[in-house]
């Protein structure tokens, strides 16, 4: 409630920068920051849109640079020993939670997945698997045909065999998570 006492229309850039900085510094609280942004978005949609545009811009810059250090593998520390399946870029993790909170449309998630799986590399498939684990349940419920299309692409990547065994195993684990209906994600 105190947040709405501030002038969020005028200070939306400051809010966007602050929420992104807070999320980047404390990754386990990403769902909470996404929920806060969703609440603000209900009253002031331009604020949620600005946060989303900035996150997508950061991801695009990192993706174009192929910057694995800043774009990849910000570990989600929700478990004591994070595994490879918990690896997801900070920006994409936040975008995934914004999609789950309906701040961003599911088409944004689908476009990101198509971009990552268009020319599959070990890194891009690894990121796509982590992203799919975060938004898979939402996509399965709200856009089942598109969700099936993404999994068909994962299957094609798996059968092409042009990726590392570790990455192939990640895709197989993703299919198992899908069979379990994303119950732990």
């Amino acid at each position: 409630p105190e947040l709405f006492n501030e002038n969020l229309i005028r200070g939306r850039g400051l809010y966007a920068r602050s929420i992104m900085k807070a999320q980047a510094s404390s990754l386990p609280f990403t769902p909470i920051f996404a929920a806060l942004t969703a609440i603000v978005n209900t009253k002031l949609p331009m604020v949620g849109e600005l946060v989303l545009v900035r996150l997508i811009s950061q991801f695009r810059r990192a993706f174009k640079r192929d910057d694995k250090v800043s774009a990849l593998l910000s570990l989600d520390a929700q478990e004591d020993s994070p595994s490879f399946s918990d690896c997801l870029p900070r920006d994409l993790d936040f975008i995934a939670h914004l999609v789950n909170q309906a701040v961003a449309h599911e088409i944004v998630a689908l476009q990101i997945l198509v971009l990552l799986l268009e020319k599959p590399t070990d890194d891009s498939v690894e990121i796509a698997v982590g992203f799919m684990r975060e938004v898979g349940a939402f996509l399965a419920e709200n856009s089942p045909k598109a969700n099936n299309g993404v999994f068909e692409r994962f299957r094609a990547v798996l059968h092409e065999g042009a990726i590392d065994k570790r990455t192939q195993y990640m895709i197989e684990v993703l299919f198992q998570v899908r069979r379990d209906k994303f119950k732990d994600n």
Side-chain angles (χ1 to χ4, degrees):
E2 294 114 27
L3 190 61
F4 285 108
N5 290 333
E6 305 299 327
N7 188 349
L8 283 178
I9 295 172
R10 192 165 177 203
R12 64 184 178 265
L14 183 60
Y15 172 82
R17 187 174 4 162
S18 300
I19 201 84
M20 288 169 59
K21 224 182 245 188
Q23 182 269 338
S25 65
S26 54
L27 295 173
F29 297 113
T30 298
I32 295 165
F33 292 125
L36 175 66
T37 302
I39 291 168
V40 170
N41 188 60
T42 60
K43 301 290 183 190
L44 304 167
M46 76 272 297
V47 176
E49 180 183 0
L50 181 64
V51 171
L52 186 63
V53 165
R54 288 188 179 183
L55 286 168
I56 291 171
S57 296
Q58 272 186 351
F59 170 69
R60 286 178 63 195
R61 280 193 303 270
F63 187 80
K64 282 182 183 177
R65 284 192 314 254
D66 198 22
D67 188 358
K68 187 172 180 174
V69 174
S70 72
L72 186 64
L73 303 182
S74 293
L75 292 178
D76 192 9
Q78 292 177 341
E79 298 177 19
D80 292 336
S81 59
S83 65
F84 64 83
S85 60
D86 297 321
C87 301
L88 189 63
R90 298 186 308 264
D91 305 333
L92 281 187
D93 193 24
F94 202 11
I95 292 170
H97 286 288
L98 289 176
V99 169
N100 290 338
Q101 293 285 341
V103 174
H105 199 273
E106 66 253 15
I107 292 176
V108 172
L110 293 169
Q111 287 175 334
I112 290 171
L113 287 165
V114 166
L115 175 71
L116 292 170
L117 295 173
E118 188 175 29
K119 295 177 187 158
T121 63
D122 288 334
D123 293 340
S124 69
V125 172
E126 184 176 343
I127 294 171
V129 166
F131 188 71
M132 194 62 186
R133 287 180 71 132
E134 292 294 331
V135 298
F138 182 82
L139 290 177
E141 183 178 314
N142 294 309
S143 187
K145 287 185 180 180
N147 188 42
N148 290 337
V150 170
F151 274 100
E152 287 302 317
R153 181 63 185 137
F154 274 119
R155 184 171 283 117
V157 168
L158 187 62
H159 291 302
E160 287 170 5
I163 54 174
D164 189 41
K165 292 288 184 199
R166 177 178 163 271
T167 311
Q168 290 176 354
Y169 177 70
M170 290 175 70
I171 295 173
E172 291 170 3
V173 169
L174 179 65
F175 277 102
Q176 181 61 43
V177 168
R178 180 188 187 199
R179 277 191 291 277
D180 294 341
K181 304 220 184 295
F182 299 94
K183 68 176 180 176
D184 295 331
N185 298 87

